[in-house]
Amino acid sequence: MSSREVVVLSVGGVRFVTRASTLQQFPESRLARMVNDNDQEFKLVNGEFFVDRDGALFSYIMDFLRTLHVSLPTDFSDYQRLQREAEFYGLYLLADLLSQEHLLKPRLEILEVRFSLQEMQAFFRIFGSCSTTIEALAEQITVFTGQQSGQGWNSPFSSQKPLVPLPLERPSHHDVVFLCGTAYSAGDQFVARYVSIKPDNRKLINGTNVLGLLLDSLLKDGFRLISTRTVTGEEKVECYTFERMKRAAGLAITVNQTPGSSGVAQARRSQVQKGK
């Protein structure tokens, strides 16, 4: 049996076809012993190994053996049952990973956009529970500034005068601040600030237009608007709160095989995605 390339398993009535080498990833596991005819509980019936276990959960175990990566659906909830299945098959490293649900479960991500108008300028502040999302937004948003003559809030962008990109304000890893519109400088000169949000190529000066584009970009990125409110103080601030499920960081196993040692003994755990 150990030389057979293709192995067929019937697990709880669900049929799986795989390579013998896949089942032998961890030599001390029961699946490896099954392929080597060293586990009598698994019966060979009509050329297929019959396994009286949960077939749906075994699909995740097969995915792990094929990729050495634990990645579960966002709506997955049977962590304890899958952990018991991993223990049954002697995949104790996988069982150990599954016991750390906090690393595998998706997390709720919250983001809030604050917007206020003051004369001919609009102020934006974006707060996010995930710093990587704020970093990605900061890379999408560019503010351009330049002096324009006799231009107001709704004046069109003048392509004859070059605009200078400005860095966004980053008070912390979890928020970003910028503004657009015009302000008086000297004489009839205006300091104008335009905002561009990728992948849209327009340079917008009207704060309401920028707000609409920003909210639309967040909705396209998988966020869901859950509330709006207005805070009235010295300045009237509109607050838009969004949420989305952020997929958990996947976990990978790196197996270093050395002569006379098992894959389990040489395995180490590592995160393959970073999230804050």
Side-chain angles (χ1 to χ4, degrees), residues 222-269:
F223 280 96
R224 182 172 68 95
L225 180 64
I226 58 173
S227 71
T228 60
R229 71 184 192 278
T230 301
V231 179
T232 303
E234 294 183 4
E235 302 169 1
K236 181 180 177 182
V237 180
E238 298 177 17
C239 302
Y240 301 82
T241 304
F242 294 81
E243 70 175 18
R244 72 174 175 183
M245 293 303 293
K246 181 176 176 61
R247 191 176 184 87
L251 296 176
I253 304 297
T254 302
V255 179
N256 298 322
Q257 296 286 1
T258 58
S261 64
S262 69
V264 174
Q266 295 296 317
R268 63 182 177 85
R269 184 171 61 241

Side-chain angles (χ1 to χ4, degrees), residues 8 43 47-48 53 164 229 238 240 249 269:
V8 181
K43 303 297 182 181
E48 300 182 5
R53 302 294 292 190
V164 179
R229 71 184 192 278
E238 298 177 17
Y240 301 82
R269 184 171 61 241

Side-chain angles (χ1 to χ4, degrees), residues 127-139:
F127 298 86
S129 60
C130 179
S131 63
T132 54
T133 297
I134 296 300
E135 290 172 6
L137 276 173
E139 291 179 357

Side-chain angles (χ1 to χ4, degrees), residues 50-101:
F50 174 74
V51 184
D52 190 19
R53 302 294 292 190
D54 191 304
L57 292 178
F58 188 72
S59 65
Y60 299 114
I61 290 176
M62 282 303 308
D63 182 63
F64 169 74
L65 291 173
R66 287 167 174 152
T67 65
L68 297 181
H69 183 262
V70 184
S71 182
L72 301 171
T74 55
D75 59 350
F76 186 82
S77 60
D78 289 333
Y79 290 92
Q80 291 184 349
R81 290 182 59 210
L82 184 55
Q83 183 181 350
R84 287 197 300 268
E85 293 299 294
E87 291 172 349
F88 170 80
Y89 292 108
L91 297 169
Y92 299 110
L93 194 58
L94 173 59
D96 176 59
L97 291 179
L98 292 168
S99 69
Q100 304 179 63
E101 295 183 26

Side-chain angles (χ1 to χ4, degrees), residues 115 124 153-154 180 197 202 204-215:
F115 168 73
F124 294 84
W153 177 267
N154 292 308
C180 66
I197 303 177
R202 292 173 296 170
L204 302 176
I205 195 171
N206 185 295
T208 303
N209 293 340
V210 174
L211 176 65
L213 179 58
L214 176 60
L215 300 186

Side-chain angles (χ1 to χ4, degrees), residues 109 133 136-137 140 215-223 244:
E109 181 180 355
T133 297
L137 276 173
Q140 289 179 255
L215 300 186
D216 185 59
S217 299
L218 293 174
L219 293 172
K220 289 180 179 178
D221 198 32
F223 280 96
R244 72 174 175 183

Side-chain angles (χ1 to χ4, degrees), residues 129-170:
S129 60
C130 179
S131 63
T132 54
T133 297
I134 296 300
E135 290 172 6
L137 276 173
E139 291 179 357
Q140 289 179 255
I141 300 171
T142 305
V143 176
F144 297 90
T145 186
Q147 284 197 338
Q148 310 292 334
S149 298
Q151 290 195 10
W153 177 267
N154 292 308
S155 299
F157 166 61
S158 174
S159 59
Q160 296 179 351
K161 294 186 177 182
L163 296 178
V164 179
L166 287 178
L168 302 182
E169 292 183 42
R170 295 293 308 276

